[in-house]
Amino acid sequence: MDNRFATALVIACVLCLISTIYMAASIGTDFWYEYHSPSPAENASELGKSIWDEFISEEADEKTYTDALFRCNGTVGLWRRCITMPKNSHWYSPPGRFSAKKTDMVRSCISFSLSDQFAEKYMEPGNHNSGSDLNRTYLWRFQFLLPFVSLGLMCFGVLIGLCACVCRSLYPAIAIGVLHFIAGLCTLGSVSCYVAGIELLHQKLPPPDDVQGEFGWSFCLACVSAPLQFMAAALFIWAARTNRKEFTLLKAYRVA
């Protein structure tokens, strides 16, 4: 094998490994979107035990837990939603005790169930009589499913690569490149669906004026993973096609 092809394959494998790690970390963490409230401790102490009971309730609708995210420095991932609550039992502690000490605050999380992931979204969040919002419903479902499809395709590409190493053949690299290209499209689609879903949600449930929202580092990892997948795909396909072309020319030259 020419040194050019070997170098391209090594770089592609490194990019593949990094993008897989980034994607797995992005899926498994809860910081796709973050809300920052100026006084989460005061908000939590004012609302008392009810905010946590409503937040963890299986019957909690989108409006209920989104309001809690606004007021309590909430973060949202693909699997879980989290809020910042006082460490002590706030429903019997004096309100004045909740200062802005970080040591008195703890993140409390609740997972989305599969029924939550595939539940309908409504034109007015929390109002089941307002009719289904198909755009937000399918954006939410795609943003949940596409990252797993992307990660699965990359893992399948790794298996093909191992088989290619055993067979000492460069031809499967084209298939690996195609799989990584499709995985990149899935990652890009997931990121786009998430951004669109957040924007549509904020149009219907705008955050309070004193609450700031921003995309978190989990979202950034997914954004970085997509171009790495595309670069790895390009290197795999280039190395395989160029090597095959040169091999064909060399074979023709020997026959002649």
Side-chain angles (χ1 to χ4, degrees), residues 29-36 69-70 73-78 80-82 107 194-195 198-199 201-202 207 211-220:
T29 50
D30 312 316
F31 296 89
W32 279 66
Y33 201 84
E34 305 176 13
Y35 296 100
H36 301 284
L69 292 172
F70 289 161
N73 279 1
T75 63
V76 187
L78 298 179
R80 299 196 305 174
R81 57 185 186 266
C82 304
R107 288 181 71 246
Y194 195 86
V195 172
I198 287 290
E199 292 299 324
L201 174 62
H202 288 170
V211 174
Q212 301 296 323
E214 63 181 5
F215 293 100
W217 58 267
S218 300
F219 175 84
C220 295

Side-chain angles (χ1 to χ4, degrees), residues 32 78 138-147 190 193-194 197:
W32 279 66
L78 298 179
Y138 285 101
L139 284 172
W140 183 279
R141 293 175 183 177
F142 282 131
Q143 78 184 25
F144 169 70
L145 291 174
L146 289 178
S190 175
C193 288
Y194 195 86

Side-chain angles (χ1 to χ4, degrees), residues 8-62:
L9 289 178
V10 169
I11 295 174
C13 289
V14 172
L15 293 175
C16 171
L17 177 62
I18 295 174
S19 64
T20 302
I21 294 173
Y22 281 4
M23 200 65 217
S26 176
I27 292 174
T29 50
D30 312 316
F31 296 89
W32 279 66
Y33 201 84
E34 305 176 13
Y35 296 100
H36 301 284
S37 172
S39 54
E42 293 181 7
N43 289 336
S45 61
E46 289 173 3
L47 293 172
K49 185 175 182 293
S50 61
I51 185 173
W52 176 243
D53 290 340
E54 293 177 356
F55 188 73
I56 66 174
S57 172
E58 294 182 358
E59 299 179 355
D61 55 40
E62 188 178 25

Side-chain angles (χ1 to χ4, degrees), residues 162-181:
L162 293 176
C163 294
C165 291
V166 172
C167 298
R168 297 183 179 181
S169 173
L170 196 60
Y171 293 151
I174 292 181
I176 299 173
V178 171
L179 287 175
H180 277 75
F181 180 77

Side-chain angles (χ1 to χ4, degrees), residues 10 12-13 23 38 45 60 67 69 78 81 94-95 103 111 113 138 156 188 192 194 200 223 229 242 253:
V10 169
C13 289
M23 200 65 217
S45 61
D67 287 340
L69 292 172
L78 298 179
R81 57 185 186 266
T103 55
S111 298
S113 65
Y138 285 101
F156 186 54
L188 191 61
S192 301
Y194 195 86
L200 290 175
C223 292
Q229 291 166 342
T242 307
Y253 174 77

